[in-house]
Amino acid sequence: MTGGRRWLALTPRDTLLVRDGRQFDAGEDAANQPVQPSPSTVGGAIFSAFGGVKGAEPDEIRGPVLARRHRGGWWTSYFPAPADLVRSDNDHSRVMRLRPTGSSAVTDLGGECALPLVGEGDPLGGWLTGDTLGAYLRGELVTPEQPHRSMTDLEIAFVRDDPDTDPGPLVQELRVGLSRTPTRVVQEGMLYQATYLRPVEGVALLAECVLPTTWQREAVGPVALGGRGRLADVAEVDGVSWPHPPTDYPGGRVLVYVATPAIWPGGWQIRVPGARLVAAAVGPPEPIATASPRSKGGVRATRALRWAVPAGSVYLLQFDSADAAMAWAVGDSGRLGVHGTAYGRPADDRLRTAGFGVILTGVWS
């Protein structure tokens, strides 16, 4: 494998154990809380696939992106449904979009995020294909002229209306275990519950790797993914990309879709020089546990629990002009755009290079 941008697929061989990092001990009345594999989990696995040699690692890893491999070898990527899409209160088969609307309501946000997003419905949930998300970013999915769309039209997957028939891409399996000493002797009464995640048939985790121009290493599997030594196969894949950005941003209005959990310096708020935050639809904070087992002191010395903006969150920004919006989103002759990149942290920040805060840009009205 040479330098440039390459996509890798991590296909679990069995269940995954990915915890949220909060306290959990055997013998206590508690069970672990499973979470979707985070950028740091996938980034660590890819680092191992490239040999795990410090100093010889990708410039950046952007992901994970959930995807399903079809029998013909091609992939369909899936992204969390945008947080401003809701299901009608009266008819759950219809999908609507919340709209920024002027209001006399007073909040503690001051002049920031001035407009509430208005509409009636329940959170949509589920996952959109990359093609459908692209239509959403271009403003073609739900429009003022066509304010309602059916669930069938949107090709929404893994909605989980009925966990028995659609349990989601990663099916939860509750198991009971018994704690053991370091010499693998069981400890009487030290029972615990752990919830594992079993990917449905064909589901894998993809990530884009940005590699140095001199890169010559090959990704080799299997590698450990998550806890308890669970393994995943590794393969380079073709025909996968981030949904494309719009061709323009009328009125300087830019929608920001959060594709991977984001740990912004400003908490839930995104900070963009030259733009005003008009409105936002942000999901509940997502716990992210990170650690660096190869650093001095190992996991115990480096582990940390952070709270992230969840994937699927949406921000509406207003720039002074369409040109300024275009330059920020997709770049110009003097700088690179932010579409499809990790945003909001310094260039050499490990949280950014591991893939936290990948954003996609679109339009809003």
Side-chain angles (χ1 to χ4, degrees):
M1 182 179 290
T2 57
R5 296 184 178 185
R6 301 286 187 273
W7 284 83
L8 293 183
L10 300 177
T11 304
R13 290 185 170 184
D14 195 357
T15 56
L16 296 173
L17 179 62
V18 186
R19 292 172 43 199
D20 64 2
R22 285 176 283 189
Q23 186 66 34
F24 162 68
D25 290 311
E28 297 183 355
D29 186 15
N32 78 313
Q33 294 296 317
V35 294
Q36 301 274 342
S38 72
S40 51
T41 301
V42 171
I46 290 178
F47 178 64
S48 297
F50 282 125
V53 179
K54 192 172 183 178
E57 53 194 272
D59 290 338
E60 293 184 36
I61 298 170
R62 299 167 180 167
V65 174
L66 188 77
R68 172 177 274 172
R69 186 176 188 275
H70 301 273
R71 290 186 176 180
W74 51 280
W75 293 83
T76 297
S77 56
Y78 293 95
F79 295 85
D84 64 345
L85 295 182
V86 298
R87 305 172 73 177
S88 169
D89 281 339
N90 299 323
D91 182 355
H92 263 193
S93 67
R94 295 198 306 170
V95 176
M96 303 182 301
R97 186 171 180 177
L98 304 178
R99 296 289 179 183
T101 305
S103 170
S104 59
V106 177
T107 75
D108 60 359
L109 296 176
E112 296 187 80
C113 205
L115 299 183
L117 290 171
V118 175
E120 295 184 358
D122 298 321
L124 176 59
W127 302 72
L128 303 184
T129 67
D131 289 343
T132 303
L133 182 64
Y136 165 85
L137 296 173
R138 295 190 298 273
E140 301 169 353
L141 194 62
V142 182
T143 66
E145 296 75 25
Q146 193 174 14
H148 300 95
R149 296 293 298 269
S150 72
M151 297 282 284
T152 303
D153 286 346
L154 301 188
E155 298 181 302
I156 295 175
F158 311 124
V159 178
R160 302 197 66 183
D161 273 341
D162 183 350
D164 292 331
T165 59
D166 190 357
L170 300 171
V171 184
Q172 294 191 8
E173 290 186 1
L174 181 62
R175 300 180 180 182
V176 176
L178 181 58
S179 179
R180 291 182 292 186
T181 68
T183 56
R184 304 185 68 78
V185 177
V186 298
Q187 294 180 287
E188 185 176 352
M190 299 296 280
L191 296 169
Y192 65 89
Q193 290 184 331
T195 302
Y196 289 72
L197 301 172
R198 180 177 295 282
V200 301
E201 182 68 26
V203 165
L205 299 167
L206 307 188
E208 182 185 36
C209 301
V210 181
L211 305 172
T213 54
T214 56
W215 190 264
Q216 294 294 330
R217 292 178 176 272
E218 296 291 334
V220 178
V223 294
L225 181 63
R228 298 292 183 185
R230 293 298 197 261
L231 297 177
D233 291 316
V234 181
E236 185 176 355
V237 298
D238 297 320
V240 177
S241 65
W242 298 102
H244 297 300
T247 55
D248 59 0
Y249 299 84
R253 295 184 294 272
V254 177
L255 177 147
V256 173
Y257 169 86
V258 180
T260 64
I263 303 175
W264 310 121
W268 66 270
Q269 287 183 290
I270 187 172
R271 308 286 189 187
V272 179
R276 179 168 57 91
L277 177 60
V278 175
V282 179
E286 180 176 327
I288 299 290
T290 60
S292 182
R294 299 176 182 86
S295 298
K296 184 178 181 180
V299 171
R300 287 189 177 276
T302 59
R303 61 184 177 183
L305 176 63
R306 297 179 173 87
W307 295 93
V309 172
S313 296
V314 170
Y315 298 88
L316 307 186
L317 304 179
Q318 177 66 64
F319 284 82
D320 290 338
S321 67
D323 288 343
M326 177 73 82
W328 180 77
V330 298
D332 56 18
S333 58
R335 60 177 172 176
L336 299 175
V338 299
H339 184 95
T341 69
Y343 180 77
R345 304 193 71 87
D348 59 350
D349 191 309
R350 298 287 288 183
L351 293 175
R352 192 186 76 81
T353 58
F356 286 99
V358 174
I359 61 173
L360 305 175
T361 60
V363 299
W364 63 275
S365 59

